[in-house]
């Protein structure tokens, strides 16, 4: 199993996603002799998982069932153990596009955190690219290495435990892009410039506060970066539902036309527009925004090395 290479069957040691519903799923490490408890009953790894195909419907001990899904960076973002605040798919999508990443790209990242963005970057640059990720916190760096190894992507990533603001990324003039998610990104702009290729490399800095953005933009300008711009991505979700709207008063002529051609007692006319009109309302499918939405997460500042 690998997060960048699809496998048909579930094997021991795989990380699989147990899908109970769109709002309920969790990762599990598949091991012989292990059981996993769910609200629908027990899943026995040896009997219910190993050797089965990904996407299979598995019946639990209480008679309920779940789906076992192959892991992807998107599913991992939704289910990973949080060691830090993470980036979600909304920001990740614009980051990978604006940094112009593709298979074969070399990317530097700091900090690694919980590895949400890291997995997406690895999948984007695979199979010939590479991610150099720097994490200041030793335990988080070691945990990230362990996860990359378990997820079959360790050959595509190098994890370094050091302070990027003092020691940089450990590479020079090879990166196509640099991503910064640290408290003081302006202190790492010089190291980012050194890590980027001779010209044309892209940089992105994620910061939750506008004061951080201001200082970062000044540092980018000082080091000769161009095309500096800042974005804020807000996600607004719509639910598709049926709503009832009152029929407008179109005058006597419209009523006469409907009543002439419509026999309400005939079964074939049930549910027709004229049937709804006589009831005074008509049904429509409509997109309705949620009453609450995710607000500000952070600002994304992009620039190009000239």
């Amino acid at each position: 199993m690998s997060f960048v290479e699809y496998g048909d069957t579930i094997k021991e040691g795989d990380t699989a996603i147990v899908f109970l519903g769109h709002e309920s799923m969790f990762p599990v490490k598949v091991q012989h002799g292990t059981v996993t408890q769910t609200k629908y009953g027990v899943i026995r790894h040896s009997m219910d998982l190993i050797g089965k195909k990904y996407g299979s419907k598995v019946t639990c001990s209480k008679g309920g069932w779940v789906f076992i899904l192959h892991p992807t960076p998107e599913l991992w973002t939704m289910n990973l153990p949080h060691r830090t605040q993470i980036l979600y798919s909304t920001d990740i999508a614009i980051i990978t596009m604006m940094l112009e990443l593709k298979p074969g790209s070399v990317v530097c990242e700091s900090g690694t955190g919980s590895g949400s963005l890291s997995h997406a970057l690895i999948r984007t640059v695979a199979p010939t690219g590479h991610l150099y990720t720097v994490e200041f916190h030793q335990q988080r760096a070691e945990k990230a290495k362990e996860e990359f190894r378990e997820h079959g992507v360790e050959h595509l990533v190098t994890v370094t435990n050091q302070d990027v603001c003092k020691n940089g990324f450990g590479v020079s003039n090879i990166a196509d892009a640099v991503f910064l998610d640290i408290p003081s990104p302006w202190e790492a702009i010089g190291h980012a410039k050194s890590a980027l290729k001779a010209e044309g490399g892209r940089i992105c800095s994620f910061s939750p506060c506008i004061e951080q953005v201001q200082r970062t933009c000044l540092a980018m300008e000082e080091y000769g970066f161009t095309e500096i711009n800042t974005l804020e991505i807000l996600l607004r979700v719509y639910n598709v539902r049926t709503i009832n709207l009152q029929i407008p008063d179109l005058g006597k002529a419209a009523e006469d036309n409907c009543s002439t051609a419509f026999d309400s007692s005939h079964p074939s006319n049930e549910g027709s527009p004229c049937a709804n009109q006589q009831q005074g309302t008509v049904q429509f499918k409509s997109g309705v925004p949620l009453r609450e939405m995710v607000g500000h997460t952070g600002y994304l500042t992009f620039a190009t090395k000239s």
Side-chain angles (χ1 to χ4, degrees), residues 157-214:
V157 57
T158 300
V159 182
T160 306
N161 172 221
Q162 64 186 29
D163 185 350
V164 70
C165 296
K166 294 181 179 178
N167 306 113
F169 293 94
V171 295
S172 299
N173 302 320
I174 65 169
D176 297 288
V178 169
F179 177 79
L180 298 173
D181 182 6
I182 53 178
S184 52
W186 56 89
E187 296 180 0
I189 299 299
H191 294 297
K193 183 177 182 180
S194 299
L196 287 168
K197 60 187 181 182
E199 61 181 41
R202 296 278 287 166
I203 183 174
C204 174
S205 174
F206 176 91
S207 296
C209 302
I210 196 65
E211 292 81 6
Q212 293 171 304
V213 174
Q214 291 168 337

Side-chain angles (χ1 to χ4, degrees), residues 27-129:
V28 62
K29 185 174 180 179
V30 180
Q31 294 178 311
H32 273 292
T34 301
V35 298
T36 297
Q37 296 282 352
T38 75
K39 62 182 180 180
Y40 301 124
V42 171
I43 301 174
R44 301 172 181 84
H45 292 203
S46 300
M47 297 173 57
D48 300 329
L49 299 184
I50 296 175
K52 299 288 181 66
K53 286 191 174 183
Y54 279 107
S56 296
K57 183 178 178 180
V58 173
T59 301
C60 304
S61 61
K62 293 182 181 178
W65 47 266
V66 299
F67 288 104
I68 307 300
L69 305 180
H70 193 286
T72 65
E74 291 80 10
L75 288 175
W76 186 245
T77 290
M78 297 170 64
N79 295 283
L80 58 77
H82 285 233
R83 300 183 288 274
T84 59
Q85 291 290 332
I86 68 169
L87 290 175
Y88 289 92
S89 298
T90 307
D91 287 318
I92 291 173
I94 198 72
I95 289 169
T96 55
M97 184 188 76
M98 295 293 287
L99 289 181
E100 301 173 2
L101 302 182
K102 58 186 182 300
S105 296
V106 176
V107 186
C108 291
E109 175 198 28
S110 182
T112 312
S114 300
S116 174
L117 177 64
S118 304
H119 282 81
L121 294 176
I122 291 168
R123 196 262 307 274
T124 303
V125 304
T128 55

Side-chain angles (χ1 to χ4, degrees), residues 219-237:
M220 287 177 174
E221 204 170 44
E222 180 183 344
Y223 280 95
F225 284 89
T226 59
E227 299 178 336
I228 302 171
N229 64 89
T230 298
L231 310 175
E232 181 184 24
I233 311 300
L234 300 177
L235 178 65
R236 190 177 190 187
V237 178

